[in-house]
Amino acid sequence: SSSGTHNEKRQARMELVTYIKNPDFQEWDGTKTRTQTIGPDGNDPEEGKPGPESTAVQLDQGSVIDDYTQIKPYAGMPKEVLLLHSSKARYRVPREILFWLTVACTLALVAVTATVIALSPRCLSWWQLSPVYQVYPRSFKDSDGDGVGDLKGIQEQLDHFEFLNIKSVWIGPVFRSPMKDFGYDVEDFQDIDPVFGSMQDFEKLLAEMHNLKMIMDFIPNHTSDKHRWFNLSRTRDPHYQDYYIWADCTEAAPRPNNWVSVFGNSSWTYDPVRGQCYLHQFLKEQPDLNLRNPRVRQEMIDILRFWLDKGVDGFRMGGVKYILEAAHLRDEPQVDQKKPPESISSEWDLHHDYTTSQLGLHDLLRDWRAEMDVFSREPGRYRLMVTESYDHQEVEKTMMYYGSSQVKEGDFPFNFHLLDLPQNTSGLWVQHLVHLWMQNMPQGKWPNWVVGNHDNPRISSGAGGLYVPVINMLLLTLPGTATTYYGEEIGMRTLHLTDTGSLDPAGRYNTSASRDPQRSPMQWSSSTNAGFNNKTDLSWLPVHPDYTSVNVEVQKEDEGSVLSQYSFLSALRQSELPLQRGWFCYIQADANVFSYLRELDGLDRAFLVVLNFGRESAVTDLSSVSEIPNQLTVLFSTNHLHHGRVLQKSAIHTDPGEGLVVRFSAPKRFNPTHPSQCYVSEKACYLRVVDILYRC
């Protein structure tokens, strides 16, 4: 109707007038509009009057939409006006261009990110970034004055690890134990022995370690004879009767076969309660578990879960080669066939064909690795698994603990070959020991280096104190993860004890085999008991007499000390990509000197390491190595007076026991033209433009 049309036009007029009042509104010619007023009848009383700036819009009988077509876009416009103009080419085309440009940039960014991820090498894990520091708890720090180190003592010294740039700490056994073998005879795998503190002390230590990672000992081969399982097994409890290795024998003839304990004499002991003999490859107070029993296997997994749930970061699996024995229990072959069988009393008298490295051993280790991998799914919480097995010259057996390309076992087995360093002080000998591991290690695996532990004499006494700094330089510049036994960072020496003073059970069978000398208390200061015990005059073993000069407090103040050198080299390793994950290349070895390069493809700096293990000064000529510049500057020397010394590569002078680290820049790398002399765990290249590593 006409009234309806009139109302619609009136409504449109009011809406249009409302938006014309917007101060941002302008006519097409750019002139300002006047403000309109609406009278009581809905009309503008000024409408139609002439004026110089009159810009009133005359509404006609056409569509309301036609009224909007006369208006230029302005802020606050109604939806209808906005939609009308947004469809015009001048607005639509730029909008579509921006949209598709955004889509293209997003896709390009995703593609670049995916490419970077695909090409990036695997990030190094926490256990690859620094040495693993071994703490022997009884000897590290005593907090309560009883003469035995404890968990609170370790907590008191956490700053020491920070000073050394240590990221991971391996703590020896602290489980509840009768201490026949100082903690390696476990009475309860899920409790802390009171001599070390309480479970609350352990949890507090773990919480206080913050950025440090804790590695615990795991002892799967045996328990204490005081363990609940053994007491139930000897009484033939149906659930536990096969938890251990039992064999028929008599008290008068307690030797089912000729097997011999690591500590000497028979591996069998008669138990009058059960009326059988039980196997023990170590002390008679350490009966071997029957790990062919599925229930025992599950017990071991439950123990791992218990400590992993608490937040432990990894395990050192001790004595793994002993955890299975041949079920047939046959006599092992004698090394000397002419020796009377009844005189066999040492582990060296037999070939251990039936008591070590048995079929099924690696299946067990893979099961444990799989369990730890479940806990490793937590971001940033990879769980380390290290295996210990003294295979001596049977290096191929040791390499099996890495697993295969399809199935993983340990992250690395301990490498004990450098324990033989004292046998021959020469560069050629050191190169031989290093190469023995490198040439046998499976491709892509990560090496490890050990020069001492709680079972072996200290390297400073074997090789001589003069060579401690150069040995530490070797450990901290070789590829892989070094293991540092407490005190090696200050050059602690083996303690001399009288033949009758051995507390170690191994020393009771053979005085020369006592491990007490390498377990003397840590030397913290020149005060009483070397700062090991500040409350009383007690220490479970005597302190080494040289503690007044060989201790942490004194060496911190001396920039040329073993401790200061260790700290510098550890920090250097963490800050330099070539030392962390770069190529390792042999370049020279002779009767005195062992030299090698550490370099990374794409990075213009590299490191030359020159180590004199000989008995005399040497001049090394590297003029044949074209990749090294003629003039070199010493970044670091174990003789701090030689820091910054300028050398010619044709005449690099080193004194006995001196080590040099030279950082240099050169356009060419050594490894492409000498592949047989070089090794890398996982090849990576550096791209300077964007400061990233990529697989190449």
Side-chain angles (χ1 to χ4, degrees):
S1 64
S2 59
S3 60
T5 303
H6 175 73
N7 288 335
E8 289 177 2
K9 292 191 65 175
R10 180 181 177 184
Q11 182 178 353
R13 183 191 298 271
M14 293 179 66
E15 180 180 310
L16 181 60
V17 169
T18 300
Y19 285 97
I20 290 175
K21 288 181 181 181
N22 190 310
D24 292 329
F25 170 74
Q26 291 186 348
E27 284 284 3
W28 291 111
D29 61 1
T31 58
K32 288 281 187 176
T33 185
R34 66 175 177 82
T35 301
Q36 291 179 303
T37 57
I38 304 300
D41 60 352
N43 298 313
D44 182 1
E46 299 295 321
E47 184 176 3
K49 293 183 179 181
E53 295 185 0
S54 177
T55 56
V57 178
Q58 300 296 324
L59 295 174
D60 55 22
Q61 299 298 318
S63 169
V64 174
I65 296 301
D66 292 339
D67 294 331
Y68 292 151
T69 62
Q70 305 175 46
I71 303 171
K72 185 178 181 179
Y74 59 90
M77 70 183 76
K79 180 178 68 174
E80 290 82 357
V81 177
L82 178 63
L83 292 175
L84 179 66
H85 287 286
S86 66
S87 61
K88 293 182 178 180
R90 76 176 76 175
Y91 302 112
R92 187 185 73 253
V93 173
R95 186 172 67 248
E96 291 179 353
I97 291 174
L98 287 174
F99 171 77
W100 289 113
L101 186 61
T102 301
V103 170
C105 290
T106 302
L107 292 175
L109 183 61
V110 170
V112 169
T113 303
T115 302
V116 169
I117 293 173
L119 294 179
S120 294
R122 182 182 55 85
C123 293
L124 296 184
S125 189
W126 56 265
W127 52 273
Q128 298 171 305
L129 295 175
S130 84
V132 172
Y133 189 100
Q134 181 188 356
V135 169
Y136 190 69
R138 296 182 68 87
S139 301
F140 196 64
K141 186 69 169 69
D142 175 19
S143 70
D144 57 12
D146 65 354
V148 179
D150 47 46
L151 294 171
K152 287 184 178 179
I154 298 172
Q155 185 176 332
E156 289 176 4
Q157 300 298 333
L158 291 180
D159 288 346
H160 183 60
F161 305 130
E162 182 177 353
F163 178 78
L164 296 176
N165 299 291
I166 294 292
K167 305 299 182 188
S168 49
V169 181
W170 159 29
I171 298 177
V174 292
F175 311 112
R176 182 178 290 276
S177 166
M179 297 296 166
K180 294 295 183 180
D181 190 19
F182 296 115
Y184 288 95
D185 50 322
V186 180
E187 183 179 347
D188 188 344
F189 285 101
Q190 297 182 4
D191 197 10
I192 301 295
D193 195 274
V195 74
F196 299 119
S198 64
M199 186 62 76
Q200 290 72 27
D201 294 331
F202 176 86
E203 292 168 349
K204 187 173 182 182
L205 170 62
L206 193 58
E208 290 295 320
M209 289 180 72
H210 301 303
N211 294 327
L212 291 170
K213 302 295 185 178
M214 182 190 286
I215 303 165
M216 287 189 74
D217 255 323
F218 182 60
I219 309 161
N221 179 69
H222 51 262
T223 69
S224 164
D225 60 351
K226 304 299 182 185
H227 198 290
R228 181 177 65 90
W229 299 343
F230 186 73
N231 289 323
L232 291 168
S233 185
R234 66 200 303 232
T235 58
R236 297 181 185 269
D237 181 283
H239 185 87
Y240 295 96
Q241 64 177 348
D242 293 328
Y243 264 46
Y244 296 84
I245 309 295
W246 296 96
D248 291 332
C249 68
T250 64
E251 189 171 6
R255 294 193 66 165
N257 57 34
N258 70 344
W259 295 357
V260 177
S261 162
V262 171
F263 289 126
N265 298 318
S266 176
S267 291
W268 298 93
T269 293
Y270 178 76
D271 178 55
V273 174
R274 179 153 170 154
Q276 285 184 304
C277 284
Y278 63 88
L279 176 69
H280 54 88
Q281 297 215 55
F282 294 87
L283 296 176
K284 66 182 180 63
E285 293 87 359
Q286 295 171 296
D288 274 37
L289 286 163
N290 177 16
L291 281 153
R292 297 190 187 279
N293 184 336
R295 290 177 177 176
V296 177
R297 292 189 182 210
Q298 186 59 48
E299 296 277 12
M300 294 296 104
I301 289 177
D302 290 344
I303 293 167
L304 291 174
R305 287 175 180 169
F306 176 83
W307 294 105
L308 290 170
D309 279 333
K310 287 190 174 294
V312 169
D313 298 287
F315 292 96
R316 169 260 194 183
M317 307 293 187
V320 291
K321 73 176 185 179
Y322 298 103
I323 61 179
L324 288 177
E325 302 80 20
H328 54 63
L329 304 183
R330 297 172 189 159
D331 282 354
E332 292 189 312
Q334 294 180 198
V335 174
D336 181 1
Q337 295 294 331
K338 297 179 180 179
K339 192 170 186 176
E342 63 273 11
S343 66
I344 299 296
S345 61
S346 166
E347 63 169 327
W348 306 110
D349 291 333
L350 300 173
H351 294 291
H352 298 289
D353 296 343
Y354 307 139
T355 54
T356 63
S357 304
Q358 296 298 293
L359 189 65
L361 161 63
H362 293 279
D363 293 331
L364 270 171
L365 295 175
R366 290 164 189 163
D367 288 345
W368 297 340
R369 173 73 264 174
E371 188 62 35
M372 295 177 70
D373 283 344
V374 172
F375 286 83
S376 297
R377 293 172 186 165
E378 183 181 350
R381 291 301 306 275
Y382 181 81
R383 308 307 171 96
L384 176 71
M385 178 171 154
V386 181
T387 53
E388 179 219 33
S389 179
Y390 287 91
D391 296 305
H392 306 288
Q393 297 307 311
E394 296 180 298
V395 66
E396 66 281 353
K397 286 187 177 180
T398 307
M399 294 302 163
M400 292 178 69
Y401 294 107
Y402 278 114
S404 67
S405 57
Q406 285 78 34
V407 183
K408 184 179 178 181
E409 289 185 26
D411 292 289
F412 58 78
F414 278 135
N415 170 12
F416 297 119
H417 292 290
L418 290 184
L419 293 172
D420 294 334
L421 274 173
Q423 293 181 15
N424 185 337
T425 53
S426 77
L428 287 168
W429 177 243
V430 177
Q431 180 177 358
H432 164 72
L433 295 176
V434 171
H435 190 58
L436 184 63
W437 190 268
M438 301 301 260
Q439 72 174 343
N440 287 286
M441 185 174 63
Q443 185 177 5
K445 297 301 183 180
W446 190 259
N448 167 258
W449 312 98
V450 177
V451 296
N453 60 20
H454 59 291
D455 288 329
N456 292 278
R458 290 191 175 274
I459 194 69
S460 56
S461 295
L466 177 65
Y467 297 93
V468 170
V470 75
I471 290 172
N472 281 338
M473 182 176 282
L474 174 72
L475 291 177
L476 294 171
T477 56
L478 283 173
T481 298
T483 302
T484 294
Y485 183 49
Y486 82 95
E488 287 176 357
E489 73 274 25
I490 58 173
M492 278 181 62
R493 290 182 279 195
T494 301
L495 178 68
H496 177 71
L497 294 170
T498 61
D499 291 345
T500 57
S502 178
L503 300 178
D504 178 31
R508 297 176 202 151
Y509 291 95
N510 179 359
T511 54
S512 64
S514 176
R515 298 166 294 179
D516 289 341
Q518 56 262 26
R519 299 176 177 182
S520 61
M522 177 66 177
Q523 295 162 204
W524 295 105
S525 68
S526 303
S527 61
T528 305
N529 290 321
F532 166 71
N533 175 5
N534 296 323
K535 295 187 176 180
T536 66
D537 212 16
L538 300 174
S539 63
W540 78 284
L541 280 174
V543 175
H544 198 287
D546 69 359
Y547 75 91
T548 55
S549 58
V550 181
N551 66 67
V552 173
E553 186 177 77
V554 167
Q555 292 194 16
K556 270 189 175 181
E557 304 302 319
D558 179 5
E559 67 170 305
S561 68
V562 177
L563 179 66
S564 296
Q565 292 176 15
Y566 186 102
S567 178
F568 175 85
L569 289 169
S570 180
L572 181 68
R573 183 184 185 277
Q574 291 177 43
S575 64
E576 291 287 354
L577 284 173
L579 295 176
Q580 281 183 13
R581 62 185 308 157
W583 287 92
F584 165 76
C585 298
Y586 308 105
I587 57 170
Q588 191 270 346
D590 57 31
N592 295 297
V593 173
F594 174 40
S595 302
Y596 49 89
L597 290 173
R598 300 301 311 278
E599 60 184 27
L600 186 72
D601 293 318
L603 194 65
D604 61 355
R605 65 181 182 275
F607 291 86
L608 167 66
V609 182
V610 182
L611 309 173
N612 189 336
F613 288 94
R615 298 296 185 186
E616 56 187 30
S617 297
V619 176
T620 303
D621 181 4
L622 298 180
S623 56
S624 63
V625 185
S626 61
E627 292 81 2
I628 299 176
N630 291 324
Q631 185 170 293
L632 302 167
T633 301
V634 175
L635 172 67
F636 184 82
S637 170
T638 54
N639 181 346
H640 70 282
L641 298 177
H642 293 166
H643 294 345
R645 185 174 59 169
V646 177
L647 305 169
Q648 297 300 314
K649 73 174 180 179
S650 60
I652 302 174
H653 181 274
T654 52
D655 295 322
E658 183 179 9
L660 305 177
V661 175
V662 177
R663 183 167 55 195
F664 64 90
S665 296
K668 293 173 60 180
R669 295 278 74 90
F670 184 84
N671 72 82
T673 54
H674 303 80
S676 63
Q677 296 173 235
C678 297
Y679 157 84
V680 70
S681 178
E682 183 179 1
K683 188 177 179 182
C685 293
Y686 178 73
L687 186 60
R688 177 190 295 276
V689 178
V690 288
D691 190 28
I692 63 168
L693 288 175
Y694 65 96
R695 281 182 290 189
C696 52

